[in-house]
Every structure is written in C-alpha cells, then in structure tokens.
Amino acid sequence: MSADVINKAFLATEEEFLSLVKNQWLHKPQIASVGACCLVGVVCSGVLYIANAGDSRAVLGRLERAIKEIKAVQLSYEHNASIESVREELHSLHPDDPHIVVLKHKVWRVKGLIQISRAIGDAYLKRAEFNREPLLARFRLPEPFNKPILKAEPTILVQKLYPEDQFLIFASDGLWEHLSNQEAVDFVRSCPRNVGLLFMISTFFCLHVT
C-alpha cells in the first residue's frame, strides 16, 4: 500500500468512466455531465491513508490525555472554488483563462458551472470532445479547451495511527455545511460503540449531477 497505489486507483477509475462516456455518447450524451466526489480511507500496518477528490472531508477524533477530551483533527480539505487556495490553484493551472473561476449568484464556480475542482467523471470539463452537441446547451462552454479543466487526482495524506486516535468521520459537504469538525466529533463521542476505530460514513462516494 502506498500513496502512489491509491493515486493510480483513482486515475484507473477515471479512465474507466471516461471510456463508458465515450461508448454511450451517441445514445446517452448527458452522462458526460455526471461526476462523483470520492473520499477514500485505508488503514494498513498501522498507517492511515486518506485520499480526497471533491468536497467531502475526513476528520479524526483524537484523545487529548492531558485534558481527557477528544479533539477534532481535519485530515483533508475540500476542492471547492469557494476556498481561496483552490481558486489560486485553478488560476495557476490555467493562467491564460481569466474566466476559469467566476463569481455567479454570490458563489464561486469553475467556468461558472460547478463548485468543485476535482472529481471522478464530469467528462464535459475533462475532454473537449464531450463539450458539444448533443450535450445540453447549459453544459457547453462558448470556447474550446485543450486540457482538462477539472482534475481526478486526489490529494493524499499519509500518517501513522496512535492509540489516542479514537475514530474517523468520513462525510460529504451535506454534513459539514451544518456541523463543525468538533461538533461532529462530539456527536460521535456521545454515541456508545464497541470498536476501537470507527468509520462513520456519510455519502462515502458522493454522486453529483451538475
């Protein structure tokens, strides 16, 4: 197990989905506008691997023995254009496109269409061949592009697990829009359980249709 293995798994999944889009393009062109955020966790030989592409988040509940409280430790960050660092990354990847991120109805969106900058799928923003008719007009860009606008590569964290690490929370933005990291950890802490390391999963593989 390694970060490279996980990255290759994401890219293999991406290629399989894009092949599916290509095979069904003439009969189901709207599949090009379907994508999924993906948040993956692997525990192997006492090491934790977290890989994220999209706007889900992984949070660790860690026991602070000195104060006997479980504190939240965020392990991933969202690839959402509302975050300044994500907008900066998009500008650096597309320096010749002044409209790579657009503020639309008070929400930052990639090309004015989608909030996330990384995902599996969303072929219409990965390959120009899928950004044309018969795709619905609302997904089609006015100008062609010669490289993917969105990325499928995840950001990956690798760290050792310790006895103080009590549980992990995996959740999509549907949870994090309503709870802070610490509130989610406090909620899990208040629920009885019989396992040392708990995975609480909310929309682990989050499908979205733009």
Side-chain angles (χ1 to χ4, degrees):
M1 177 54 59
S2 68
D4 185 56
V5 166
I6 295 173
N7 188 69
K8 287 179 178 177
F10 269 71
L11 296 182
T13 303
E14 167 83 346
E15 287 305 312
E16 285 291 327
F17 188 79
L18 294 183
S19 295
L20 177 67
V21 173
K22 185 172 184 177
N23 292 336
Q24 299 192 14
W25 174 249
L26 294 178
H27 305 290
K28 298 179 181 179
Q30 306 318 318
I31 196 174
S33 65
V34 175
C37 300
C38 189
L39 177 62
V40 171
V42 178
V43 175
C44 182
S45 301
V47 177
L48 172 65
Y49 300 81
I50 299 291
N52 182 48
D55 56 2
S56 295
R57 186 190 306 170
V59 171
L60 171 71
R62 174 174 289 162
L63 175 63
E64 296 287 348
R65 296 188 182 278
I67 56 176
K68 297 182 180 180
E69 292 183 4
I70 295 181
K71 295 297 183 180
V73 180
Q74 186 168 326
L75 301 179
S76 65
Y77 71 89
E78 293 90 317
H79 304 116
N80 190 304
S82 65
I83 301 172
E84 185 177 1
S85 61
V86 173
R87 296 197 299 275
E88 291 174 351
E89 179 185 53
L90 286 164
H91 282 299
S92 68
L93 292 172
H94 305 274
D96 299 324
D97 187 351
H99 305 295
I100 187 63
V101 285
V102 177
L103 187 61
K104 189 174 182 180
H105 305 303
K106 298 182 179 181
V107 177
W108 286 103
R109 294 181 182 273
V110 181
K111 300 298 290 184
L113 293 172
I114 190 170
Q115 286 185 266
I116 58 172
S117 64
R118 302 193 190 200
I120 303 293
D122 288 311
Y124 75 112
L125 293 175
K126 301 280 184 59
R127 296 182 182 176
E129 64 184 289
F130 302 128
N131 199 284
R132 57 183 176 84
E133 293 183 340
L135 187 68
L136 292 175
R138 65 191 177 99
F139 296 120
R140 300 201 302 266
L141 299 176
E143 64 282 327
F145 56 94
N146 54 24
K147 68 177 182 178
I149 294 170
L150 303 186
K151 298 173 64 175
E153 293 91 343
T155 52
I156 301 176
L157 173 140
V158 181
Q159 69 178 41
K160 184 178 178 181
L161 284 172
Y162 295 94
E164 293 79 13
D165 297 335
Q166 301 293 295
F167 53 81
L168 291 161
I169 302 173
F170 283 44
S172 66
D173 59 334
L175 176 71
W176 304 118
E177 287 176 357
H178 300 283
L179 294 179
S180 68
N181 293 344
Q182 191 60 50
E183 287 172 334
V185 164
D186 291 343
F187 177 81
V188 175
R189 176 68 179 85
S190 68
C191 298
R193 61 191 184 282
N194 297 315
V195 294
L197 188 65
L198 169 70
F199 284 87
M200 179 182 177
I201 305 173
S202 171
T203 321
F204 183 78
F205 195 86
C206 180
L207 182 71
H208 66 265
V209 180
T210 307

